[in-house]
């Protein structure tokens, strides 16, 4: 019976099977993102002679790296059916803290970074604690944290940026290893680990299942609280890493940095095929999503499109991508 | 003879797999037409095509003499066809009345919803059905059986000419079933046609006028119920004879593995004491609301308990959460498949291994090869009908989802397995296989607590039976002294 | 079905295709570019210039952009690339990186942040591109900073206050985010006002340089301050926000408001001011002039000429007397 069925898959019924195939789990959900990325790349290669140059590709990868790192954390959160709005503020908080520790308190960059990352992550821990122990929805909790972390960054800096970081520290944001910028290496490393965690570990499985049906997961003997705690902590940590890199890239801690980045991260995640309702998604999809968002920015710049129109196009593409995906999901 | 519905040469494929192959079905005015077939035979799919929930690949549907427009479910409903799905469709945070009148609420002269009228109309329909539910009650506070009746009430309120009931009896008590049959009979007299899907052959014989058997997506037979018998139906369904309903129990239970003392929970459970032995199948019988599910959930740590001690192999253990239970080798297959059993958006494979991923994990990484092999074994031994283990659970037929949940708990390798209605929605042939698996588990030294509302199943499979009544254990029977009558009496609180 | 190998293959094919197309485009458009460049032989004919603003939602920068465009595209037959930093230092950096990829020869930089823009300057200098800071300065190796004399803008507003209040009164200050221009205006005002002991600064808040935000902080200040004689806001949008707050509190005739910029809508309000209260004065800058000077000094840099480190552009106090004849 089974054999017979399997053979038939390849032969009969071509009509609407393409959409159905994509929508079934053994056809990867990020396929739309891949198609989108390819089409965008082709279009931009034709439209601008600068787009498909190695210089611009490197440039693009560096620009995308921070969003990709944050969006990786966001992917875990969205997979569980949650959301984290505090990421951008944690970026600013961590960046200013690290800059302040180095410049004002005279700490060694290594110590300052470790401390800054730990404190940045603590906002994620706070999110996790509140969300897993109360019934307050994640969107509210992280909205609060968004404000708290931003406020903390502004308080700590008194509102103005902290500059004067050493060349060694700036290397993290501006340097190259081989031909590839350091932030890109960091992104690759983080995404590789995250991808393995999501696909090949117990934790990853639990995360996906949780987004689909929390009660079943609980009755399966899995601690739902612990998972929620961990994912918000992960997102906090990813944001803190991004904050560290950004401070190094800008050579200063900016209390106003990272505003609106939660939207870019959510957009990258969702454009990359992660179901906004939770349960299904991949890290590679999110990476592709981050590149799509990045290419839209980069490409429109290269095409010298009016900055205002850029915002419109970006918004339209995000909504369009989500629409295509949800349209397909509905078919089932 | 006057046909209200004619479905002709209906074809439907999913992912290239044909779920329906040229199925034709004719329903007469005022008849109860039973639809039966193995899990995954295509019963629900055929009905979803009728309702417009799925679009057919080819074929023709004529309703009331006219081609039926199935492009939207609302359209079909307005034409006079109501479907009560196997998986309910109620919005759980709304009241009974709001569910029944959703989208067509009566309005008062200010254009606001006329609540008074809505409640009154709902009350009238509920009275006709003889259901004691308040129109204002929230649906998520109702029992499964009560929700079922709300669904039927909703269909009636549409003035349906044809009502499809997809496994309505799976969750009903004998009393509720009687009432349902009375309602069906009443509808039939009024000229309403009913399509009735069930895995219970007795029901078909009792209520049906004609029966259609589907096998592997094909209509293998349609005949008058009077002219055939159960064995004939089974032969059509599975293509062979089934001689026994239950495999013989051969295990002799060993030492005590679990003892529950003084388990209580305010308003639900009162002073529960019982033991479970190695290799034993302990049946738990009782009426809906007797506290059977509450008992096993409290035992498992899914719900809090007020008092009670649990001894595992004579050791007192602490069970405050499902996680504690799993860690002690106790597993619970919950009653509510869709909300608590399967994760619909995940693959069959991920569902089966969810509760015990450690088993297929080497160091910290999942061994995909091993996982696939082990999962394949369960798919085969339980006969889960699917082209791939990567198929989302959502796309399986109801019975096959139940098999996946069973597989999931078997996979945990727990020493004590608690099954709450394990064979609900499972076809006759597959049931037998599941009973055999239960026997095999007990042969391996595992113990099973089985809640079931099917008395024959309780009697056929249990070594001992606990009967519950109003949150207490009213009596305990040994296999040798079991009878349907005794159980029913103590379930009703007349003995013990 | 798309398996991994299939995916890689498709990607590879696309890349090859894109490269081919790209080469073709280069060949066609690249050729065109060159031809255009050498038509008349004017120096810097066909130059490609990039300008990036901290934000473009301010008519000030629009006026500057128009003037720069006139210079670059009108007079020099070149190309102007424009970026909107949207108050985000990281975005501005990315935008400039994209401009460098496109081969700009000169960068006019209006930084989101004085310090964070160091990386922008570094990136441009690394690519051998001269950097002219306009309106806002940057740390690092920028070549020249051209801006209104913002300090002076603060000073003349302070002097105007003193004059109108005859050396006695209560003043409110609406500050902005501390970029260099704002800091200088603020310092100019505060340091000058200190010289007049009868004038007291009773409240000071940050309005983010935006009308809506300033209106909000002014509403709060109005709650706390029973008597106000004058308000100094660091730019015109903030000043108009203050006026709006005063009107809705029914205190429009209690005090007068000053801004900095000379934005058209502010100038119009000043020109039509009959009571003397409300929007009464602004220290007007001349963005078009700054832009023109930016291009002019940029070209000098490209020619290897020596330029000053900073170039202050004078400001002018606009009141109801001269408003009608002023425009950016
Ligand atoms: N949305 C879907 N996507 C893919 N396959 C589907 C989908 N719906 C149904 N199927 C497949 O079609 C077949 C028939 O399913 P259907 O639900 O009609 O069975 P059924 O006769 O109602 O079984 P049961 O008694 O278990 O409820 C099954 O093999 C099922 O896996
Ligand atoms: Mg079914």
């Amino acid at each position: 019976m089974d054999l017979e069925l399997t053979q038939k898959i390849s032969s009969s019924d071509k009509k609407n099977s393409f959409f159905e195939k994509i929508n079934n789990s053994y056809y990867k959900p990020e396929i739309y993102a891949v198609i989108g990325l390819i089409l965008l790349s082709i279009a931009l290669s034709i439209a601008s002679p600068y787009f498909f140059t190695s210089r611009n590709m490197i440039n693009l990868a560096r620009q995308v790296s921070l969003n990709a790192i944050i969006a990786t954390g966001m992917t875990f959160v969205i997979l569980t059916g949650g959301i984290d709005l505090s990421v951008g503020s944690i970026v600013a908080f961590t960046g200013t803290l690290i800059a302040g520790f180095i410049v004002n308190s005279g700490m060694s960059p290594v110590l300052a970074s470790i401390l800054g990352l730990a404190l940045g992550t603590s906002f994620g821990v706070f999110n996790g604690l509140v969300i897993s122990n109360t019934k307050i929805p994640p969107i509210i909790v992280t909205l609060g944290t968004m404000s708290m972390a931003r406020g903390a960054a502004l308080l700590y800096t008194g509102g103005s940026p902290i500059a004067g970081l050493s060349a060694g520290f700036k290397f993290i944001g501006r340097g190259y290893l081989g031909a590839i910028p350091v932030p890109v290496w960091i992104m690759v490393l983080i995404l590789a680990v995250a991808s393995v965690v999501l696909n090949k570990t117990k934790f990853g499985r639990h995360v996906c299942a949780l987004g689909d049906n929390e009660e079943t997961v609980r009755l399966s003997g899995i601690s739902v609280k612990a998972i929620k705690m961990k994912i918000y902590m992960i997102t906090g940590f990813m944001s803190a890493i991004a904050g560290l890199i950004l401070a190094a890239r800008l050579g200063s801690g900016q209390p106003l940095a990272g505003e609106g980045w939660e939207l870019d991260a959510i957009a990258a995640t969702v454009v990359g095929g992660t179901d906004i309702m939770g349960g299904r998604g991949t890290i590679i999809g999110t990476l592709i999503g981050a590149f799509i968002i990045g290419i839209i920015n980069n490409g429109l710049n290269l095409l010298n499109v009016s900055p205002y129109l850029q915002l419109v196009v970006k918004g339209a593409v995000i909504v369009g991508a989500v629409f295509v995906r949800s349209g397909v999901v509905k078919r089932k | 003879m006057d046909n209200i519905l004619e479905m002709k040469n209906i074809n439907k494929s999913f992912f290239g797999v044909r779920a329906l192959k040229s199925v034709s079905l004719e329903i007469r005015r005022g008849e109860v037409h039973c639809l039966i077939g193995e899990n995954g035979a295509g019963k629900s799919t055929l009905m979803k095509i009728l309702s417009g929930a799925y679009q057919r690949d080819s074929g023709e549907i004529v309703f009331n003499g006219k081609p039926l427009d199935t492009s939207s479910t609302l359209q079909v409903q307005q034409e006079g066809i109501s479907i009560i799905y196997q998986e309910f469709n109620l919005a759980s945070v709304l009241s009974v009345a709001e569910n029944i009148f959703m989208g067509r609420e009566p309005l008062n002269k200010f254009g606001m919803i006329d609540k008074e009228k809505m409640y009154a109309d709902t009350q009238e329909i509920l009275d006709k059905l003889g259901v004691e539910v308040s129109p204002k009650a929230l649906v998520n506070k109702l029992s499964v059986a009560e929700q079922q009746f709300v669904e039927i009430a909703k269909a009636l309120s549409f003035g349906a000419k044809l009502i499809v009931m997809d496994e309505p009896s799976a969750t009903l008590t004998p009393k509720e079933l009687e009432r349902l049959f009375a309602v069906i009979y009443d509808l039939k007299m009024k000229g309403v046609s009913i399509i009735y899907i069930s895995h219970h052959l007795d029901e078909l014989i009792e209520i049906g006028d004609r029966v259609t058997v589907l096998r592997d997506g094909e209509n293998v037979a349609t005949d008058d119920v009077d002219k055939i018998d159960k064995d004939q139906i089974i032969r059509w369904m599975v293509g062979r004879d089934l001689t026994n309903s239950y495999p013989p129990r051969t295990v002799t239970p060993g030492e005590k593995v679990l003892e529950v003392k003084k388990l209580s929970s305010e308003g639900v459970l009162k002073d529960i004491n019982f033991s479970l032995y190695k290799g034993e199948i302990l049946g738990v019988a009782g009426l809906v609301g007797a506290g059977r599910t509450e008992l096993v959930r409290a035992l498992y740590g899914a719900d809090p308990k007020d008092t009670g001690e649990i001894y595992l192999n004579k050791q007192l253990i602490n069970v405050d959460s499902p996680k504690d239970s799993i860690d002690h080798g106790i597993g619970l297959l919950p009653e509510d498949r869709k909300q608590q059993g399967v994760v619909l958006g995940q693959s069959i494979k991920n569902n089966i291994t969810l509760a015990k991923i450690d088993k297929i994990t080497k160091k910290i990484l999942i061994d995909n090869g091993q996982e696939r092999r082990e999962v394949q074994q369960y798919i085969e031994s339980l006969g889960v009908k699917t082209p791939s283990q990567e198929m989302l659970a959502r796309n399986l037929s109801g019975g096959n989802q139940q098999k996946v949940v069973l597989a999931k708990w078997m996979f945990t390798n727990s020493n004590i397995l608690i099954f709450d209605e394990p064979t609900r929605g499972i076809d006759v042939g597959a049931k037998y296989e599941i009973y055999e698996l239960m026997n095999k588990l007990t042969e391996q030294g595992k113990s099973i607590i089985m809640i079931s509302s099917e008395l024959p199943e309780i009697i056929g499979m249990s070594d001992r039976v606990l009967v519950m009544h109003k949150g207490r254990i009213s009596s305990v029977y040994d296999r040798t002294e079991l009878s349907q009558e005794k159980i029913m009496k103590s379930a009703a609180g007349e003995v013990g | 079905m798309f398996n991994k190998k299939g995916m890689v293959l498709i990607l590879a094919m696309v890349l090859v295709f894109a490269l081919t197309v790209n080469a073709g485009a280069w060949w066609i458009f690249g050729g065109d570019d060159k031809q255009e460049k050498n038509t008349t032989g004017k120096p810097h004919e066909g130059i490609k210039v990039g300008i990036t603003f901290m934000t473009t939602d301010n008519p000030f920068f629009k006026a500057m952009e128009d003037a720069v465009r006139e210079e670059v595209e009108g007079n020099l037959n070149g190309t102007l690339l424009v970026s909107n930093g949207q108050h985000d230092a990281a975005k501005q950096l990315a935008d400039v990186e994209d401009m460098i990829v496109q081969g700009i020869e000169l960068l006019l930089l209006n930084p989101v942040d004085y310090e964070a823009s160091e990386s922008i300057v570094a990136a441009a200098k690394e690519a051998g591109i001269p950097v002219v800071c306009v309106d806002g300065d940057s740390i690092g190796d920028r070549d020249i900073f051209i801006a209104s004399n913002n300090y002076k803008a603060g000073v003349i507003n302070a002097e105007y206050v003193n004059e109108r209040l005859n050396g006695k009164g209560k003043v409110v200050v609406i500050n902005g985010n501390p970029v260099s221009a704002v800091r200088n205006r603020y310092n100019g005002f505060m340091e000058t006002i200190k010289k007049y002991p009868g004038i007291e600064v009773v409240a000071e808040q940050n309005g983010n340089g935006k009308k809506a935000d300033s209106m909000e902080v002014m509403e709060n200040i109005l709650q706390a301050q029973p008597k106000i004689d004058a308000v100094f806001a660091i730019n015109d949008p903030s000043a108009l926000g203050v006026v709006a707050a005063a009107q809705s509190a029914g205190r429009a005739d209690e005090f007068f408001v000053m801004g900095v910029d000379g934005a058209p809508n502010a100038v119009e309000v000043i020109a039509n001011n009959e009571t003397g209260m409300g929007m009464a004065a602004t220290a007007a800058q001349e963005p078009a002039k700054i832009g023109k000077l930016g291009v002019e000094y940029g070209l000098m840099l490209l020619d290897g000429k020596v330029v000053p480190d900073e170039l202050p552009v004078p400001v002018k106090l606009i009141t109801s007397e001269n408003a009608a004849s002023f425009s950016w």
Side-chain angles (χ1 to χ4, degrees), chain C residues 113-133:
Chain C
D113 179 75
Y114 171 64
E115 276 143 348
S117 52
E118 182 206 351
S119 46
I120 296 177
V121 176
K125 299 303 283 190
E126 209 175 282
I129 298 165
V131 179
V132 177
C133 282

Side-chain angles (χ1 to χ4, degrees), chain A residues 5 20 24 331-332, chain B residues 12-15 17-20 36-48 54 86-87 166-167 197-199 214 217 337 385-387 391-403 425-427:
Chain A
L5 285 172
E20 287 184 346
N24 198 7
R331 264 167 218 269
K332 113 203 129 206
Chain B
K12 176 70 185 174
S13 302
F14 295 105
F15 311 118
V17 181
R18 289 182 70 180
L20 295 175
I36 191 166
E38 291 181 286
N39 297 128
K43 306 180 293 293
S44 299
T45 304
L46 186 64
M47 292 305 108
K48 284 177 185 165
Y54 288 165
Q86 196 169 359
E87 319 291 354
D166 196 348
E167 298 194 35
I197 301 178
S198 174
H199 290 294
L214 288 188
R337 176 206 310 149
K385 196 175 160 195
T386 173
M391 176 80 92
L392 299 187
R394 169 176 290 129
N395 296 334
L396 291 178
S397 79
N400 281 306
Q401 287 176 6
Q402 182 69 10
K403 290 180 190 172
I426 285 187
D427 70 58

Side-chain angles (χ1 to χ4, degrees), chain C residues 103-163:
Chain C
I104 53 164
E105 294 155 70
L106 170 65
L107 176 66
L108 304 188
L109 169 64
N110 168 241
V112 166
D113 179 75
Y114 171 64
E115 276 143 348
S117 52
E118 182 206 351
S119 46
I120 296 177
V121 176
K125 299 303 283 190
E126 209 175 282
I129 298 165
V131 179
V132 177
C133 282
V134 284
D135 190 54
D137 201 2
S138 164
I139 56 169
D141 201 14
R142 55 103 181 121
D143 293 283
I144 179 172
F145 170 43
I146 305 176
S148 298
N149 196 335
N150 280 307
Y151 188 86
K152 196 71 193 295
V155 172
I156 58 177
N157 266 317
E159 284 165 349
Y160 178 74
V161 170
N162 181 48
E163 221 167 276

Side-chain angles (χ1 to χ4, degrees), chain C residues 155 158-159 161-163 167 192-200:
Chain C
V155 172
E159 284 165 349
V161 170
N162 181 48
E163 221 167 276
T192 311
I193 214 84
K194 269 198 205 108
K195 293 187 211 151
Y196 311 120
I199 295 181
E200 185 193 354

